[in-house]
Amino acid sequence: MKNYVENPRSLCALNGAIGVFSALGKTIPILHAGPGCGLQASIGVKSGYIGGGTGCPSSNMFEKEVVFGGINRLRETIEGTLEIMEGDLYAVLTGCTSGIIGDDVENLVEEFKKKDIQIAYIETSGFKGDSYFGYEVSLTELVKQFVKKSSEKEAKTVNVFGIVPTQDITWKGNLEEITRILKKLGLKVNTFFTENQGIENIKASSKAELNIVFSSWLLKELSEIYKDEFDINTFRYEGLPIGPTATSDFIRRLAKHISIDEKLIESIIKEEEDYVYSYYEYINAMIKTYRFIIVGDSNTVLGLNRFLVNDYGQIPLISIITDDVPKEGREEIENQLNNLEYARKPEIIFENDKWKISEIIREAQDEATLILGSSFEKEIGIELDIVTIVVSNPSTEALILNKGYAGYRGCLTFLEDLYDNN
């Protein structure tokens, strides 16, 4: 084997899909996979509704199903799930075993659809891609299977995408803060994963005026579908807006794509910035200058770099992006990182391998005074005696419910985490 990754930060497509359907309100994921695959993929995904995490129904395919096919076993699993679990949507997700032997899951799901059961089929064999692929294919297939063209349009309604459940360790808090800001601007917000939203919100998403995608590279196909089928444009913001400078920039750029009163915009920006700056006054005497290395997904790396440099005057050494970003998407990320208000530009590296990342950090240990990364980087941080804050996946350090770093108020939460570790 020429290429392998030690301790990858994202898991397989099935895991990404489970994250989506566990976050989608009143949705029951049904796995057509081996028992080990189902357990390993679901054990780290918690759900606010029955059927999430280790409660996911699964066909638990064994040797018999591999040799003779697993469709009958899956039919029994779906029927049993419908009998004892009540949901607004059921989503059949396939693992590697099903994908390899070629079970005709789509036709089986069609049988249940003809009985007026709201059920989806998503091909999520692990070998097809990582968690981000699972996120993308899940949302894309839901739109293809359930969203119809509507002659009605709901003015000032937006669909929010790009913040990936479970892969972003503070996804729920980030979505809640983004929603809070957009609602203050007079917009109605479909996040699909918060405020008990679910499949009915996805069905109604064709009535929206605009899509907002927090990523420079995710969901390109989905954006095209919304444009071609439903005449909905997409506004992309590169990474998370974290802190007053980036969040105010996000709002002003958003206003170029959807009608918002200019006086309202400037009033809200002033109010929110004043709120954040009033807390800065409390910590003026505590402010230190860090030379930092950041390791994480592109949204987190872009967002925290902007905040730490533009708002907080810190010095970036190395930015390590762990997503499997396509080559055409890397240039945009590099441009964003190279065009901030730096005294020095960071070294930009795309890498996902734990050992290689640890070696990069080790080589910079004489300069680095702060590491922002995952629980993996906590190990090398302890070894080198460098302050380390867990901001990206995987995180085994703490229970995270609705903590978020996005927006105006999220940056204050980040500062609390920063100084709590000093």
Side-chain angles (χ1 to χ4, degrees), residues 61-126:
M61 301 173 73
F62 282 99
E63 290 89 343
K64 177 182 176 182
E65 285 74 33
V66 173
V67 174
F68 299 106
I71 286 297
N72 290 334
R73 179 71 182 126
L74 177 58
R75 180 181 282 107
E76 293 173 359
T77 304
I78 296 173
E79 289 171 347
T81 302
L82 294 171
E83 184 177 344
I84 64 173
M85 289 183 167
E86 182 179 350
D88 290 344
L89 173 70
Y90 301 86
V92 179
L93 313 175
T94 57
C96 290
T97 307
S98 170
I100 291 170
I101 66 175
D103 275 346
D104 192 357
V105 178
E106 186 172 7
N107 273 341
L108 175 61
V109 170
E110 286 299 321
E111 291 179 19
F112 287 94
K113 284 185 176 180
K114 290 175 182 177
K115 299 175 184 178
D116 292 329
I117 294 166
Q118 200 152 248
I119 186 169
Y121 159 64
I122 319 290
E123 174 55 60
T124 54
S125 297

Coordinates of all heavy atoms in Angstrom, one line a residue, residues 61-126:
M61 N -25.5 -7.3 8.3 CA -25.2 -8.3 7.3 C -24.0 -9.2 7.8 O -23.0 -8.7 8.2 CB -24.8 -7.6 6.0 CG -25.9 -6.7 5.4 SD -25.3 -5.8 4.0 CE -25.3 -7.1 2.8
F62 N -24.3 -10.5 7.6 CA -23.2 -11.5 7.9 C -22.9 -12.3 6.6 O -23.3 -11.9 5.5 CB -23.7 -12.4 9.0 CG -23.6 -11.8 10.4 CD1 -24.7 -11.3 11.0 CD2 -22.4 -11.8 11.1 CE1 -24.6 -10.7 12.3 CE2 -22.2 -11.3 12.3 CZ -23.4 -10.7 13.0
E63 N -22.2 -13.4 6.8 CA -21.8 -14.2 5.6 C -22.9 -14.6 4.7 O -22.8 -14.6 3.5 CB -21.0 -15.4 6.1 CG -19.6 -15.2 6.7 CD -19.7 -14.9 8.2 OE1 -20.8 -14.7 8.7 OE2 -18.7 -15.0 8.9
K64 N -24.1 -15.0 5.4 CA -25.2 -15.4 4.6 C -25.7 -14.3 3.6 O -26.0 -14.6 2.4 CB -26.4 -15.8 5.5 CG -27.6 -16.2 4.8 CD -28.8 -16.5 5.8 CE -30.1 -16.8 5.1 NZ -31.2 -17.0 6.1
E65 N -25.7 -13.1 4.1 CA -26.2 -12.0 3.3 C -25.2 -11.6 2.2 O -25.5 -11.2 1.1 CB -26.5 -10.7 4.1 CG -27.8 -10.8 4.9 CD -27.7 -11.7 6.1 OE1 -26.6 -11.8 6.7 OE2 -28.7 -12.3 6.5
V66 N -23.9 -11.8 2.5 CA -22.8 -11.6 1.5 C -22.9 -12.5 0.4 O -22.8 -12.2 -0.8 CB -21.4 -11.6 2.2 CG1 -20.3 -11.5 1.1 CG2 -21.3 -10.5 3.2
V67 N -23.2 -13.8 0.7 CA -23.3 -14.9 -0.3 C -24.6 -14.8 -1.1 O -24.6 -14.9 -2.4 CB -23.1 -16.2 0.3 CG1 -23.3 -17.3 -0.7 CG2 -21.7 -16.4 0.9
F68 N -25.7 -14.7 -0.4 CA -27.0 -14.8 -1.1 C -27.7 -13.5 -1.2 O -28.8 -13.4 -1.8 CB -27.9 -15.7 -0.2 CG -27.4 -17.1 -0.1 CD1 -26.8 -17.6 1.0 CD2 -27.4 -18.0 -1.2 CE1 -26.3 -18.9 1.1 CE2 -26.9 -19.3 -1.1 CZ -26.3 -19.7 0.1
G69 N -27.1 -12.4 -0.8 CA -27.8 -11.1 -0.9 C -28.5 -10.7 0.4 O -29.0 -11.6 1.1
G70 N -28.6 -9.4 0.6 CA -29.1 -9.0 1.9 C -30.5 -8.2 1.8 O -30.9 -7.6 2.8
I71 N -31.1 -8.3 0.6 CA -32.3 -7.5 0.5 C -33.5 -8.0 1.4 O -34.2 -7.2 2.0 CB -32.8 -7.6 -1.0 CG1 -31.9 -6.7 -1.9 CG2 -34.3 -7.1 -1.2 CD1 -31.9 -5.2 -1.5
N72 N -33.6 -9.3 1.5 CA -34.7 -9.8 2.4 C -34.4 -9.4 3.9 O -35.4 -9.1 4.6 CB -34.8 -11.3 2.3 CG -35.4 -11.8 1.0 OD1 -36.1 -11.0 0.3 ND2 -35.0 -13.0 0.6
R73 N -33.2 -9.4 4.3 CA -32.8 -9.0 5.6 C -33.1 -7.5 5.8 O -33.6 -7.1 6.8 CB -31.3 -9.3 5.9 CG -30.8 -8.9 7.2 CD -31.4 -9.7 8.3 NE -30.9 -9.3 9.6 CZ -31.7 -9.0 10.6 NH1 -33.0 -9.1 10.5 NH2 -31.2 -8.5 11.8
L74 N -32.8 -6.7 4.8 CA -33.1 -5.3 4.9 C -34.6 -5.0 4.9 O -35.0 -4.2 5.7 CB -32.5 -4.6 3.7 CG -32.7 -3.1 3.6 CD1 -32.2 -2.3 4.9 CD2 -32.1 -2.4 2.3
R75 N -35.4 -5.8 4.1 CA -36.8 -5.6 4.1 C -37.4 -5.9 5.6 O -38.2 -5.1 6.1 CB -37.5 -6.6 3.1 CG -39.0 -6.4 3.1 CD -39.7 -7.4 2.1 NE -39.5 -6.9 0.8 CZ -38.7 -7.4 -0.1 NH1 -38.0 -8.5 0.2 NH2 -38.7 -7.0 -1.4
E76 N -36.9 -6.9 6.2 CA -37.3 -7.2 7.6 C -36.9 -6.0 8.5 O -37.7 -5.7 9.4 CB -36.6 -8.5 8.1 CG -37.1 -9.7 7.4 CD -36.3 -11.0 7.8 OE1 -35.3 -10.8 8.6 OE2 -36.5 -12.1 7.3
T77 N -35.7 -5.5 8.3 CA -35.2 -4.4 9.2 C -36.1 -3.2 9.0 O -36.5 -2.5 10.0 CB -33.8 -4.1 8.9 OG1 -33.0 -5.3 9.0 CG2 -33.2 -3.0 9.8
I78 N -36.4 -2.8 7.8 CA -37.3 -1.7 7.5 C -38.7 -1.9 8.1 O -39.2 -1.0 8.8 CB -37.4 -1.4 6.0 CG1 -36.0 -1.0 5.5 CG2 -38.4 -0.2 5.8 CD1 -36.0 -0.8 3.9
E79 N -39.2 -3.0 7.9 CA -40.6 -3.3 8.4 C -40.6 -3.3 10.0 O -41.5 -2.7 10.6 CB -41.1 -4.7 7.9 CG -41.4 -4.7 6.5 CD -41.7 -6.1 5.9 OE1 -41.3 -7.1 6.7 OE2 -42.2 -6.2 4.8
G80 N -39.6 -3.8 10.6 CA -39.5 -3.8 12.0 C -39.3 -2.3 12.6 O -39.9 -2.0 13.6
T81 N -38.5 -1.5 11.8 CA -38.3 -0.1 12.2 C -39.6 0.6 12.1 O -40.0 1.4 13.1 CB -37.3 0.5 11.3 OG1 -36.0 -0.2 11.4 CG2 -37.0 2.0 11.8
L82 N -40.4 0.4 11.1 CA -41.6 1.1 10.9 C -42.6 0.8 12.0 O -43.5 1.6 12.4 CB -42.2 0.8 9.5 CG -41.4 1.4 8.3 CD1 -42.0 0.8 7.0 CD2 -41.4 2.9 8.3
E83 N -42.5 -0.5 12.4 CA -43.5 -0.9 13.5 C -43.2 -0.3 14.8 O -44.2 0.0 15.6 CB -43.4 -2.5 13.5 CG -44.4 -3.1 14.5 CD -44.3 -4.6 14.5 OE1 -43.7 -5.2 13.6 OE2 -44.9 -5.2 15.5
I84 N -41.9 -0.1 15.2 CA -41.7 0.3 16.6 C -41.1 1.7 16.7 O -41.0 2.2 17.8 CB -40.7 -0.7 17.2 CG1 -39.3 -0.7 16.5 CG2 -41.3 -2.1 17.3 CD1 -38.3 -1.6 17.3
M85 N -40.7 2.3 15.6 CA -40.1 3.7 15.7 C -40.9 4.6 14.8 O -41.0 4.4 13.6 CB -38.6 3.7 15.2 CG -37.7 3.0 16.1 SD -36.0 3.1 15.5 CE -35.1 2.5 17.0
E86 N -41.3 5.7 15.4 CA -42.1 6.7 14.7 C -41.3 7.9 14.3 O -40.6 8.5 15.1 CB -43.3 7.2 15.5 CG -44.2 8.2 14.8 CD -45.4 8.6 15.7 OE1 -45.6 8.0 16.8 OE2 -46.0 9.6 15.3
G87 N -41.2 8.2 13.0 CA -40.4 9.3 12.5 C -41.1 10.0 11.4 O -42.0 9.5 10.8
D88 N -40.6 11.2 11.1 CA -41.2 12.0 9.9 C -40.5 11.5 8.7 O -41.0 11.7 7.6 CB -40.9 13.5 10.1 CG -41.8 14.1 11.2 OD1 -42.8 13.4 11.6 OD2 -41.5 15.2 11.7
L89 N -39.3 11.0 8.8 CA -38.5 10.5 7.7 C -37.7 9.3 8.1 O -37.1 9.3 9.2 CB -37.6 11.6 7.1 CG -36.6 11.2 6.0 CD1 -37.3 10.9 4.7 CD2 -35.5 12.3 5.8
Y90 N -37.6 8.3 7.2 CA -36.7 7.1 7.4 C -35.7 7.2 6.2 O -36.0 7.4 5.1 CB -37.5 5.8 7.3 CG -38.5 5.8 8.4 CD1 -39.8 6.3 8.2 CD2 -38.3 5.2 9.6 CE1 -40.8 6.3 9.2 CE2 -39.3 5.1 10.6 CZ -40.5 5.7 10.4 OH -41.5 5.6 11.4
A91 N -34.4 7.0 6.6 CA -33.3 7.1 5.6 C -32.5 5.8 5.6 O -31.9 5.5 6.6 CB -32.4 8.3 5.9
V92 N -32.5 5.1 4.5 CA -31.8 3.9 4.3 C -30.4 4.2 3.8 O -30.2 4.7 2.7 CB -32.5 2.9 3.4 CG1 -31.6 1.6 3.3 CG2 -33.9 2.5 3.9
L93 N -29.4 3.9 4.6 CA -28.0 4.2 4.3 C -27.2 2.9 4.1 O -27.3 2.0 5.0 CB -27.3 5.0 5.4 CG -28.2 6.2 5.9 CD1 -27.5 6.9 7.1 CD2 -28.4 7.2 4.8
T94 N -26.4 2.8 3.1 CA -25.7 1.6 2.8 C -24.2 1.7 3.2 O -23.6 2.7 3.1 CB -25.7 1.3 1.3 OG1 -25.2 2.4 0.5 CG2 -27.2 1.0 0.8
G95 N -23.7 0.5 3.6 CA -22.3 0.4 4.0 C -21.5 -0.3 2.9 O -22.0 -0.6 1.8
C96 N -20.2 -0.5 3.1 CA -19.4 -1.1 2.1 C -19.9 -2.5 1.6 O -19.8 -2.8 0.4 CB -17.9 -1.2 2.6 SG -17.1 0.3 2.9
T97 N -20.3 -3.3 2.5 CA -20.7 -4.7 2.2 C -21.8 -4.7 1.1 O -21.7 -5.3 0.1 CB -21.1 -5.5 3.4 OG1 -20.1 -5.4 4.4 CG2 -21.4 -6.9 3.1
S98 N -22.8 -3.8 1.4 CA -23.9 -3.7 0.4 C -23.5 -3.2 -0.9 O -23.9 -3.7 -2.0 CB -25.0 -2.8 1.0 OG -26.0 -2.5 0.0
G99 N -22.6 -2.2 -0.9 CA -22.1 -1.6 -2.1 C -21.3 -2.6 -2.9 O -21.3 -2.6 -4.2
I100 N -20.5 -3.5 -2.3 CA -19.7 -4.4 -3.0 C -20.5 -5.5 -3.6 O -20.2 -5.9 -4.8 CB -18.6 -5.0 -2.0 CG1 -17.6 -3.9 -1.6 CG2 -17.9 -6.2 -2.6 CD1 -16.7 -4.4 -0.5
I101 N -21.5 -6.1 -2.9 CA -22.2 -7.2 -3.5 C -23.3 -6.7 -4.4 O -23.9 -7.5 -5.1 CB -22.8 -8.1 -2.4 CG1 -23.9 -7.3 -1.6 CG2 -21.7 -8.6 -1.5 CD1 -24.6 -8.2 -0.5
G102 N -23.7 -5.4 -4.4 CA -24.6 -4.9 -5.4 C -26.1 -5.1 -5.0 O -26.9 -5.2 -6.0
D103 N -26.4 -5.1 -3.8 CA -27.9 -5.2 -3.4 C -28.7 -4.0 -4.0 O -28.2 -2.9 -4.0 CB -28.0 -5.1 -1.9 CG -27.9 -6.5 -1.2 OD1 -27.9 -7.5 -1.9 OD2 -27.7 -6.5 0.0
D104 N -29.8 -4.4 -4.6 CA -30.7 -3.4 -5.2 C -31.6 -2.7 -4.2 O -32.8 -2.9 -4.1 CB -31.5 -4.0 -6.3 CG -32.2 -3.0 -7.2 OD1 -32.1 -1.8 -6.9 OD2 -32.9 -3.4 -8.1
V105 N -30.9 -1.9 -3.4 CA -31.6 -1.2 -2.3 C -32.6 -0.2 -2.8 O -33.7 0.0 -2.2 CB -30.6 -0.5 -1.3 CG1 -31.3 0.2 -0.2 CG2 -29.6 -1.6 -0.8
E106 N -32.3 0.5 -3.9 CA -33.1 1.6 -4.4 C -34.5 1.0 -4.7 O -35.5 1.6 -4.4 CB -32.5 2.2 -5.6 CG -33.3 3.4 -6.2 CD -32.5 4.1 -7.3 OE1 -31.5 3.6 -7.7 OE2 -33.0 5.2 -7.7
N107 N -34.6 -0.1 -5.4 CA -35.9 -0.7 -5.8 C -36.7 -1.1 -4.5 O -37.9 -1.0 -4.5 CB -35.7 -1.9 -6.7 CG -35.6 -1.5 -8.2 OD1 -36.1 -0.4 -8.5 ND2 -35.1 -2.3 -9.0
L108 N -36.0 -1.6 -3.5 CA -36.7 -2.0 -2.3 C -37.3 -0.8 -1.6 O -38.5 -0.8 -1.2 CB -35.7 -2.7 -1.3 CG -36.3 -3.0 0.0 CD1 -37.5 -4.0 -0.1 CD2 -35.2 -3.6 0.9
V109 N -36.5 0.3 -1.6 CA -37.0 1.5 -1.0 C -38.2 2.1 -1.8 O -39.2 2.6 -1.2 CB -35.9 2.6 -0.9 CG1 -36.5 4.0 -0.5 CG2 -34.9 2.1 0.2
E110 N -38.2 1.9 -3.1 CA -39.3 2.4 -3.9 C -40.6 1.6 -3.5 O -41.7 2.2 -3.6 CB -39.0 2.2 -5.4 CG -38.0 3.2 -6.0 CD -38.6 4.6 -5.9 OE1 -39.8 4.8 -6.1 OE2 -37.7 5.5 -5.6
E111 N -40.5 0.3 -3.2 CA -41.7 -0.4 -2.7 C -42.3 0.2 -1.5 O -43.6 0.3 -1.5 CB -41.3 -1.8 -2.3 CG -40.8 -2.7 -3.5 CD -40.4 -4.1 -3.0 OE1 -40.8 -4.5 -1.9 OE2 -39.7 -4.8 -3.7
F112 N -41.5 0.7 -0.6 CA -42.1 1.4 0.6 C -42.6 2.7 0.3 O -43.6 3.2 0.9 CB -41.0 1.4 1.7 CG -40.8 0.1 2.3 CD1 -39.7 -0.7 1.9 CD2 -41.5 -0.4 3.4 CE1 -39.5 -1.9 2.5 CE2 -41.3 -1.6 4.0 CZ -40.3 -2.4 3.5
K113 N -42.0 3.4 -0.7 CA -42.5 4.7 -1.1 C -43.9 4.6 -1.7 O -44.7 5.5 -1.5 CB -41.5 5.4 -2.1 CG -40.3 6.0 -1.5 CD -39.5 6.7 -2.5 CE -38.2 7.4 -1.9 NZ -37.4 8.1 -2.8
K114 N -44.1 3.6 -2.4 CA -45.5 3.3 -3.0 C -46.6 3.1 -2.0 O -47.7 3.3 -2.3 CB -45.4 2.2 -4.0 CG -44.6 2.4 -5.2 CD -44.5 1.2 -6.1 CE -43.6 1.5 -7.3 NZ -43.4 0.3 -8.2
K115 N -46.1 2.8 -0.7 CA -47.1 2.7 0.4 C -47.2 4.0 1.2 O -47.7 4.0 2.3 CB -46.6 1.6 1.3 CG -46.5 0.2 0.7 CD -45.9 -0.8 1.6 CE -45.7 -2.2 1.0 NZ -45.1 -3.2 1.9
D116 N -46.8 5.1 0.5 CA -46.9 6.4 1.2 C -46.1 6.5 2.4 O -46.4 7.3 3.4 CB -48.4 6.8 1.4 CG -49.2 7.0 0.2 OD1 -48.6 7.5 -0.8 OD2 -50.4 6.7 0.2
I117 N -45.0 5.8 2.5 CA -44.0 6.0 3.6 C -42.9 6.9 3.1 O -42.4 6.8 2.0 CB -43.4 4.6 4.0 CG1 -44.5 3.7 4.5 CG2 -42.3 4.8 5.0 CD1 -44.1 2.3 4.6
Q118 N -42.6 7.9 4.0 CA -41.6 8.9 3.7 C -40.3 8.3 4.0 O -39.8 8.4 5.1 CB -41.9 10.2 4.5 CG -41.2 11.4 3.9 CD -42.0 12.7 4.2 OE1 -42.5 13.3 3.3 NE2 -42.0 13.1 5.5
I119 N -39.6 7.8 3.0 CA -38.4 7.1 3.1 C -37.4 7.4 2.0 O -37.8 7.6 0.9 CB -38.6 5.5 3.2 CG1 -37.3 4.8 3.6 CG2 -39.3 5.0 1.9 CD1 -37.6 3.3 3.9
A120 N -36.2 7.6 2.4 CA -35.1 7.9 1.4 C -34.1 6.8 1.3 O -33.9 6.0 2.2 CB -34.5 9.2 1.8
Y121 N -33.4 6.8 0.1 CA -32.3 5.9 -0.1 C -31.1 6.7 -0.4 O -31.1 7.5 -1.4 CB -32.6 4.8 -1.2 CG -31.4 4.2 -1.8 CD1 -30.5 3.4 -1.0 CD2 -31.1 4.4 -3.1 CE1 -29.4 2.9 -1.6 CE2 -29.9 3.9 -3.7 CZ -29.1 3.1 -2.9 OH -28.0 2.5 -3.4
I122 N -30.0 6.5 0.3 CA -28.7 7.2 0.0 C -27.6 6.1 -0.1 O -27.4 5.4 0.8 CB -28.4 8.2 1.1 CG1 -29.6 9.0 1.6 CG2 -27.3 9.1 0.7 CD1 -30.2 9.9 0.7
E123 N -26.9 6.2 -1.2 CA -25.8 5.3 -1.4 C -24.5 5.8 -0.7 O -24.0 6.8 -1.1 CB -25.5 5.1 -2.9 CG -24.2 4.3 -3.2 CD -24.2 2.9 -2.5 OE1 -25.1 2.1 -2.8 OE2 -23.3 2.7 -1.7
T124 N -24.2 5.3 0.5 CA -23.1 5.8 1.3 C -22.1 4.8 1.6 O -21.5 4.8 2.7 CB -23.7 6.4 2.6 OG1 -24.5 5.4 3.3 CG2 -24.5 7.6 2.3
S125 N -21.8 3.9 0.7 CA -20.7 2.9 1.0 C -19.4 3.6 1.3 O -19.0 4.6 0.7 CB -20.4 2.1 -0.3 OG -21.6 1.3 -0.7
G126 N -18.8 3.2 2.4 CA -17.6 3.9 3.0 C -16.5 4.2 2.0 O -15.9 5.2 2.1

